Amino acid sequence: MNTLGYAILGLIHKQKVTGYDLAKIFNDSVADFWNANQSQIYPELKKLVQSELIQYEILVQGEVLEKKLYSITEKGKKALETWITEDEPPLSQSKDIFKLRIYFAEHLNKEQLLEKFKERQLRCKSLLERYKIKISEYQDSEGISPEKLGDFLLLKNAIKQLEAHISWIDDSIAYIQNK
Amino acid sequence: MNTLGYAILGLIHKQKVTGYDLAKIFNDSVADFWNANQSQIYPELKKLVQSELIQYEILVQGEVLEKKLYSITEKGKKALETWITEDEPPLSQSKDIFKLRIYFAEHLNKEQLLEKFKERQLRCKSLLERYKIKISEYQDSEGISPEKLGDFLLLKNAIKQLEAHISWIDDSIAYIQNK
DNA sequence: GCGAGCATGTAAACAGTTACATGATTCC
DNA sequence: GGAATCATGTAACTGTTTACATGCTCGC
């Protein structure tokens, strides 16, 4: 099975959800390290049902609308636990168009290069604010429940990475200006 | 045209290369923010020739072996410069299986979780060492030539990001141990 | 009644990976 | 002579994105 399948399996394990819910979750919380859109989610759910790793009950919303509420099976729980304890693949960074363009910085003049960095800086700072608001919800409460530990740790990670990225941007801007 | 095309275009602009060279470059320097393998490179080169953005001369190595040495055309230079100054797409983090598994940390016991972090830590530290060796080559020389500016800035970035990541791992290990 | 959002899916195109296939050159 | 590396490509599969297609529900 592919990673998307396990991602979905893990999310369904946390709570019963519909395909639509999954799409939302992928665009919110998980967005930092995984994502998927509807056209991937629905076929994958079908496959997971066929493999008997998940099951669904049909709920009727309003008068007619039928929605499928998915839950994990015992077989699914086992598959998930096996996968989670598997060895990690090699480290790999992702594709980043901004960095690719910076790599070709020789084709930009000083002003254009600074402009690129400053625009990125703005975006990163705005995203950082959003993460900080999100993590403040955790700092209010005392202990963190086991189900929320992963979410908390990864929020911490996202913030650290973003701060490091912004610091690099600051350094780069200073470096370019002094050139 | 897709991003890979521009990535190749930019690399060919830096110097005349063969398809084989490109594969090596993607696995070394550029590996941090872009990559591609042979089976993507050769067809893409064909397309770029058809679009007249690059051209090639045939060199004969030894007795028989013909290799194609690609260079950028004027049309290619213009296309590259247009692309580089384009607006950036929205920020996006990459898919990371390790993080996905940490997100589902509730299925790991304390020891398993610590083990995962410690293994990641080792890998990151080893990679960091490699980057530091690479950047030390720059610190020897005084000024950095324009063609190497991008490479230098991105090395700096990779190091900062890795250091932040390792620091997060350290924090996480301490946090889990005190739980 | 209307619009935003809920809800489920498919089709086609594009991007990327793994495996296959072949052969020359260089250095030891 | 053999092994590592140089060199070029294709085939099949897998994964991902964009667009299409439809209809219901809830709140105003």
Side-chain angles (χ1 to χ4, degrees), chain A residues 92-96 100 103-104, chain B residues 2-12 15 17-42 44-45 48 83 130-131 134:
Chain A
S92 69
Q93 301 278 105
S94 73
K95 297 187 173 179
D96 185 325
L100 186 61
Y103 188 70
F104 300 132
Chain B
N2 60 21
T3 309
L4 175 61
Y6 290 107
I8 290 175
L9 213 50
L11 291 173
I12 293 179
Q15 54 178 313
V17 284
T18 64
Y20 188 84
D21 292 331
L22 284 172
K24 270 195 301 174
I25 294 169
F26 274 116
N27 278 315
D28 296 346
S29 44
V30 197
D32 262 284
F33 46 92
W34 211 265
N35 69 300
N37 49 36
Q38 279 163 254
S39 58
Q40 264 186 297
I41 292 167
Y42 289 110
E44 193 64 42
L45 283 168
L48 289 170
W83 173 78
R130 288 212 282 126
Y131 285 146
K134 239 178 137 185

Side-chain angles (χ1 to χ4, degrees), chain B residues 38 59 73 95 98 106-107 115 140 146 152 174:
Chain B
Q38 279 163 254
L59 291 189
T73 63
K95 297 187 173 178
F98 170 76
E106 67 254 44
H107 304 297
E115 194 42 53
D140 293 345
F152 174 71

Side-chain angles (χ1 to χ4, degrees), chain A residues 49-93:
Chain A
V49 170
Q50 270 159 17
S51 320
E52 300 177 329
L53 302 178
I54 60 172
Q55 60 199 6
Y56 64 87
E57 53 197 295
I58 289 176
L59 291 189
V60 180
Q61 190 100 347
E63 295 292 300
V64 193
L65 183 66
E66 292 189 343
K67 62 179 189 180
K68 293 177 180 172
L69 196 64
Y70 291 91
S71 53
I72 195 164
T73 63
E74 280 308 312
K75 196 174 165 190
K77 285 181 193 174
K78 269 176 205 143
L80 182 63
E81 264 149 58
T82 303
W83 172 77
I84 286 175
T85 52
E86 263 175 28
D87 284 343
E88 299 300 326
L91 286 177
S92 69
Q93 301 278 105

Side-chain angles (χ1 to χ4, degrees), chain B residues 2-171:
Chain B
N2 60 21
T3 309
L4 175 61
Y6 290 107
I8 290 175
L9 213 50
L11 291 173
I12 293 179
H13 195 299
K14 281 182 192 273
Q15 54 178 313
K16 291 184 179 182
V17 284
T18 64
Y20 188 84
D21 292 331
L22 284 172
K24 270 195 301 174
I25 294 169
F26 274 116
N27 278 315
D28 296 346
S29 44
V30 197
D32 262 284
F33 46 92
W34 211 265
N35 69 300
N37 49 36
Q38 279 163 254
S39 58
Q40 264 186 297
I41 292 167
Y42 289 110
E44 193 64 42
L45 283 168
K46 211 177 220 172
K47 274 195 234 164
L48 289 170
V49 170
Q50 267 159 18
S51 318
E52 299 177 330
L53 303 177
I54 61 172
Q55 60 200 7
Y56 63 87
E57 52 197 295
I58 290 176
L59 291 189
V60 181
Q61 192 97 348
E63 294 292 298
V64 194
L65 182 66
E66 294 190 342
K67 63 178 188 180
K68 294 176 180 172
L69 195 65
Y70 292 91
S71 52
I72 196 164
T73 63
E74 280 307 312
K75 196 175 165 188
K77 284 181 193 175
K78 269 175 204 145
L80 181 64
E81 264 148 58
T82 303
W83 173 78
I84 286 175
T85 52
E86 263 176 28
D87 284 343
E88 298 300 326
L91 285 177
S92 70
Q93 301 278 105
S94 73
K95 297 187 173 178
D96 185 325
I97 292 181
F98 170 76
K99 289 186 194 168
L100 187 61
R101 288 197 174 112
I102 296 301
Y103 188 70
F104 300 132
E106 67 254 44
H107 304 297
L108 293 168
N109 61 40
K110 201 167 164 172
E111 287 68 38
Q112 287 175 316
L113 194 51
L114 285 171
E115 194 42 53
K116 279 224 168 281
F117 273 109
K118 281 174 184 165
E119 205 239 320
R120 177 91 163 188
Q121 193 182 43
L122 272 180
R123 291 195 195 192
C124 288
K125 281 185 176 169
S126 137
L127 185 56
L128 181 59
E129 281 319 301
R130 288 212 282 126
Y131 285 146
K132 282 190 171 170
I133 289 164
K134 239 178 137 185
I135 209 164
S136 68
E137 291 164 29
Y138 282 108
Q139 259 125 15
D140 293 345
S141 58
E142 280 290 291
I144 284 158
S145 65
E147 316 92 69
K148 287 186 172 171
L149 178 61
D151 191 58
F152 174 71
L153 291 176
L154 286 165
L155 250 177
K156 282 257 189 199
N157 175 75
I159 289 170
K160 270 218 167 174
Q161 293 296 140
L162 256 182
E163 282 171 345
H165 195 68
I166 290 168
S167 155
W168 167 72
I169 292 170
D170 291 341
D171 290 356

Side-chain angles (χ1 to χ4, degrees), chain A residues 17-147:
Chain A
V17 285
T18 64
Y20 188 83
D21 292 331
L22 285 171
K24 269 196 301 175
I25 293 169
F26 274 116
N27 278 315
D28 296 346
S29 44
V30 196
D32 262 284
F33 47 91
W34 212 267
N35 69 300
N37 49 36
Q38 279 162 253
S39 59
Q40 263 186 299
I41 291 168
Y42 288 110
E44 192 65 41
L45 283 168
K46 211 176 219 171
K47 274 194 233 162
L48 289 170
V49 170
Q50 270 159 17
S51 320
E52 300 177 329
L53 302 178
I54 60 172
Q55 60 199 6
Y56 64 87
E57 53 197 295
I58 289 176
L59 291 189
V60 180
Q61 190 100 347
E63 295 292 300
V64 193
L65 183 66
E66 292 189 343
K67 62 179 189 180
K68 293 177 180 172
L69 196 64
Y70 291 91
S71 53
I72 195 164
T73 63
E74 280 308 312
K75 196 174 165 190
K77 285 181 193 174
K78 269 176 205 143
L80 182 63
E81 264 149 58
T82 303
W83 172 77
I84 286 175
T85 52
E86 263 175 28
D87 284 343
E88 299 300 326
L91 286 177
S92 69
Q93 301 278 105
S94 73
K95 297 187 173 179
D96 185 325
I97 293 181
F98 170 76
K99 289 186 194 168
L100 186 61
R101 289 198 173 112
I102 296 301
Y103 188 70
F104 300 132
E106 68 253 44
H107 303 297
L108 292 167
N109 61 40
K110 199 168 166 172
E111 286 68 37
Q112 288 174 316
L113 194 52
L114 285 171
E115 192 44 51
K116 281 227 167 276
F117 273 109
K118 281 174 184 165
E119 206 239 321
R120 177 91 164 188
Q121 193 182 42
L122 270 180
R123 291 194 193 193
C124 288
K125 281 185 175 170
S126 136
L127 184 57
L128 181 60
E129 280 320 301
R130 288 211 285 126
Y131 285 147
K132 282 191 171 171
I133 288 164
K134 239 177 137 185
I135 209 164
S136 68
E137 291 164 27
Y138 282 107
Q139 261 127 13
D140 292 345
S141 61
E142 280 290 291
I144 284 157
S145 65
E147 317 92 68

